[in-house]
Amino acid sequence: HNFATCWRIQISRSNGKMREKSLTMDTLNPQVKAVEYAVRGPIVTKAGDIERGLQQGQKHPFTEVIKANIGDSHAMGQKPITFLRQVVALCSFPELLDSSIFPDDAKQRARRILQGCGGQSLGSYSASQGVDCIRQDIAVYIEQRDKGVPADWDNIYLTTGASDGIVSILKMLVSGQGRSRSGVMIPIPQYPLYSAAISEMEAVQINYYLDEDNCWALDINELHRAYQAAKEHCHPRVICIINPGNPTGQVQSKKCIEEVLHFAYEENLFVMSDEVYQDNVYSPDCQFHSFKKVLYEMGPEYFNTVELASFHSTSKGYSGECGFRGGYMEVLNLDLEVKAQLVKLLSVRLCPPVSGQAAMDVIVNPPLPHEPSYLQFHKEKSAVLGALAEKAQMTEQILNTVPGIKCNPVQGAMYAFPRIFIPPRAVEEAMCVSLLLLEETGICLVPGSGFGQREGTYHFRMTILPTTEKLKVLLEKLRDFHIKFLKEYASLEEPKR
């Protein structure tokens, strides 16, 4: 080890001087340092270390790490949707089109996608906006989803997951200096992609708080408060909404969406609607309403003027295909010259992964009732969404039996964001609780601070993706840990006699 160190020092000297690194923490772009992303933060790194230790025979009070930190369905044991994988397999290896083991409807879709690819190969670049026939299929899907609201495929852009589209639109919107710097309104709690992108672009983050006492509803008065306060030090230009919510699991009502769109219309804000969980609605009292459909129903004065970008992805829903990095955005009412600039910006990255585009096509163009794959597809999709609905209910029920934990109904998405009530003496240790939980039980959660929370409140985010059996184990271990934690601090706080 010492020899290697000496050798490195020896060869890095030039004329007796040590060569310094050009990139150090002092010279690093400060915006990169400012970025935080809790979903893959230090607790997750520690979980990886413990997992490797278990594999190497290290002893822990548990036999496996249960990762409930990230919405990664397949990593948690969800099986792929057969039809989606068949189509992507056929596109990736067209020789399989001659095989009798693949159904005709999968072959028909694969042929159509391949015809849209350069050289009829997934290995070719596509247009920067994506493969034309896939954009057309997405437009048809949106029209059907929104009960006939017109969709123009020229407004649809394929993206590398929804994240890539969100960052591209934010890049277009951020400008100005000082008090004229662009302000971005985001919900608190939020998905940390937003705060990270805002930091990286040196934009101004404008927090509006969701109403925890009212099942994380969006309160229009809170939007006005946040907007007015922000106007003093920046130029609010965009409002972001996540519906269904991440990390909060709420589904916004139609009335609430109308109020947000009216607010955006009045204050001339660009609307970004993150709708990647649109298939994940579990509560029978809730229904997904797309921002676009609600905007259309508010009349042409709104529908033809409010700038709206909405986002969808292969990563969530019932397919959970995170690794394909497939997604799209539909952008309405963009200035024509700005639209050309958006295409230019997307062109710099050449195109999103074409295999991800193919996966996105299957999600918007699934088997129809008269096609051979329909029964199996319908069965698999219903099984995934049915299990998630069951786990959403179980999570809420079990957590609400634990003293010192309060969990709102998980109406949609894939997460619970329970509030934990901590004794005053334990507050300093609140940040360490997630680490302690991991080390004692093998459960990996993300502290609420990674998503934002009202000052003086403490939460954690957990996914409902583990199998029903594992989720039950996770919730029971969590309950026992929290009760033990509360007891320890209660005894510390008892006055000495």
Side-chain angles (χ1 to χ4, degrees):
H1 174 75
N2 287 343
F3 173 77
T5 307
C6 294
W7 180 247
R8 277 200 299 274
I9 290 168
Q10 210 62 47
I11 60 169
S12 64
R13 284 198 175 124
S14 172
N15 300 329
K17 287 173 78 177
M18 279 281 276
R19 182 190 180 279
E20 292 178 0
K21 291 189 185 298
S22 64
L23 182 59
T24 65
M25 287 303 285
D26 291 332
T27 60
L28 179 71
N29 178 346
Q31 272 58 63
V32 172
K33 278 192 260 188
V35 168
E36 290 179 17
Y37 191 68
V39 174
R40 291 185 179 225
I43 287 171
V44 185
T45 307
K46 178 72 175 170
D49 294 343
I50 292 173
E51 236 175 357
R52 280 186 290 278
L54 282 168
Q55 285 162 6
Q56 288 158 14
Q58 285 176 14
K59 290 283 174 271
H60 286 275
F62 46 85
T63 55
E64 69 168 333
V65 173
I66 302 178
K67 287 184 179 169
N69 61 295
I70 193 165
D72 189 350
S73 308
H74 291 208
M76 288 284 96
Q78 184 180 309
K79 294 285 178 279
I81 298 292
T82 304
F83 186 73
L84 185 146
R85 287 296 181 92
Q86 285 174 333
V87 175
V88 177
L90 288 161
C91 288
S92 302
F93 194 64
E95 285 85 342
L96 294 172
L97 286 163
D98 299 328
S99 163
S100 59
I101 65 167
F102 287 85
D104 287 344
D105 47 356
K107 290 179 178 178
Q108 175 260 320
R109 279 163 180 76
R111 285 192 183 98
R112 183 165 182 272
I113 292 166
L114 288 170
Q115 276 161 13
C117 296
Q120 300 206 358
S121 169
L122 281 197
S124 58
Y125 291 126
S126 76
S128 304
Q129 301 97 310
V131 175
D132 283 359
C133 69
I134 298 176
R135 294 166 70 204
Q136 288 157 6
D137 287 346
I138 292 168
V140 171
Y141 160 81
I142 292 171
E143 265 187 38
Q144 288 171 345
R145 180 199 68 189
D146 292 343
K147 310 284 189 289
V149 177
D152 180 349
W153 68 275
D154 193 41
N155 291 332
I156 289 160
Y157 306 82
L158 274 300
T159 55
T160 307
S163 308
D164 172 49
I166 289 164
V167 170
S168 297
I169 295 293
L170 283 173
K171 272 188 181 167
M172 304 283 289
L173 284 155
V174 174
S175 66
Q177 295 298 324
R179 285 182 64 171
S180 69
R181 190 69 174 159
S182 295
V184 182
M185 299 184 72
I186 63 169
I188 298 294
Q190 53 107 26
Y191 175 53
L193 164 70
Y194 291 91
S195 54
I198 290 165
S199 278
E200 197 180 333
M201 293 175 205
E202 286 188 277
V204 180
Q205 180 174 315
I206 305 169
N207 295 339
Y208 66 87
Y209 291 88
L210 300 174
D211 183 358
E212 183 168 14
D213 294 333
N214 192 16
C215 205
W216 298 114
L218 200 160
D219 176 11
I220 193 68
N221 296 321
E222 170 61 11
L223 286 188
H224 285 290
R225 180 208 62 76
Y227 177 83
Q228 292 304 331
K231 265 176 37 175
E232 302 298 313
H233 61 271
C234 71
H235 178 199
R237 295 189 62 201
V238 55
I239 179 166
C240 303
I241 300 98
I242 309 171
N243 179 49
N246 175 10
T248 42
Q250 89 288 3
V251 179
Q252 303 292 7
S253 69
K254 187 179 176 189
K255 178 178 179 291
C256 165
I257 295 170
E258 281 171 355
E259 287 177 339
V260 173
L261 289 168
H262 178 71
F263 168 75
Y265 174 84
E266 291 292 319
E267 304 298 355
N268 199 26
L269 295 172
F270 192 107
V271 179
M272 292 176 64
S273 174
D274 180 339
E275 297 176 338
V276 301
Y277 297 99
Q278 58 191 262
D279 286 312
N280 301 100
V281 177
Y282 315 121
S283 170
D285 310 328
C286 295
Q287 188 188 339
F288 171 72
H289 300 278
S290 78
F291 266 68
K292 183 188 177 187
K293 182 170 187 277
V294 176
L295 188 65
Y296 183 80
E297 287 167 355
M298 288 170 76
E301 187 184 355
Y302 286 87
F303 188 65
N304 296 328
T305 59
V306 174
E307 293 143 289
L308 169 69
S310 50
F311 306 90
H312 198 12
S313 165
T314 60
S315 304
K316 310 302 173 188
Y318 55 87
S319 65
E321 293 283 11
C322 302
F324 277 115
R325 307 308 301 127
Y328 75 77
M329 59 182 177
E330 182 185 24
V331 190
L332 302 183
N333 298 317
L334 209 56
D335 175 276
L336 285 178
E337 287 181 280
V338 171
K339 194 172 183 173
Q341 294 294 312
L342 174 60
V343 173
K344 177 185 78 176
L345 184 66
L346 297 173
S347 301
V348 174
R349 298 179 197 181
L350 297 172
C351 69
V354 183
S355 54
Q357 295 186 45
M360 191 77 246
D361 188 72
V362 184
I363 289 168
V364 299
N365 185 20
L368 298 168
H370 66 273
E371 292 183 305
S373 299
Y374 178 76
L375 282 177
Q376 185 182 5
F377 170 81
H378 183 69
K379 188 180 167 190
E380 290 176 354
K381 177 182 174 180
S382 301
V384 170
L385 294 175
L388 284 168
E390 197 180 294
K391 291 188 282 188
Q393 196 175 16
M394 181 174 82
T395 301
E396 179 204 341
Q397 282 173 346
I398 294 179
L399 287 175
N400 281 328
T401 65
V402 184
I405 294 186
K406 180 179 180 290
C407 183
N408 272 322
V410 181
Q411 297 172 332
M414 302 177 168
Y415 314 97
F417 197 67
R419 183 171 175 186
I420 47 177
F421 295 86
I422 299 178
R425 282 281 293 274
V427 163
E428 285 112 60
E429 290 194 25
M431 288 300 292
C432 307
V433 172
S434 296
L435 197 54
L436 201 59
L437 175 75
L438 172 65
E439 287 169 345
E440 286 191 16
T441 67
I443 292 168
C444 182
L445 306 174
V446 190
S449 53
F451 302 88
Q453 51 196 350
R454 278 194 186 274
E455 209 170 321
T457 68
Y458 303 92
H459 301 77
F460 60 85
R461 186 190 83 158
M462 58 168 282
T463 74
I464 59 167
L465 291 173
T467 62
T468 307
E469 297 72 36
K470 270 191 193 173
L471 186 61
K472 207 157 191 281
V473 169
L474 182 157
L475 292 164
E476 284 164 2
K477 281 187 172 186
L478 183 61
R479 179 186 61 202
D480 297 345
F481 173 87
H482 191 66
I483 290 169
K484 179 172 156 248
F485 178 79
L486 288 179
K487 272 187 185 156
E488 278 174 21
Y489 275 90
S491 61
L492 282 176
E493 293 187 0
E494 281 173 16
K496 287 182 179 156
R497 294 174 184 244

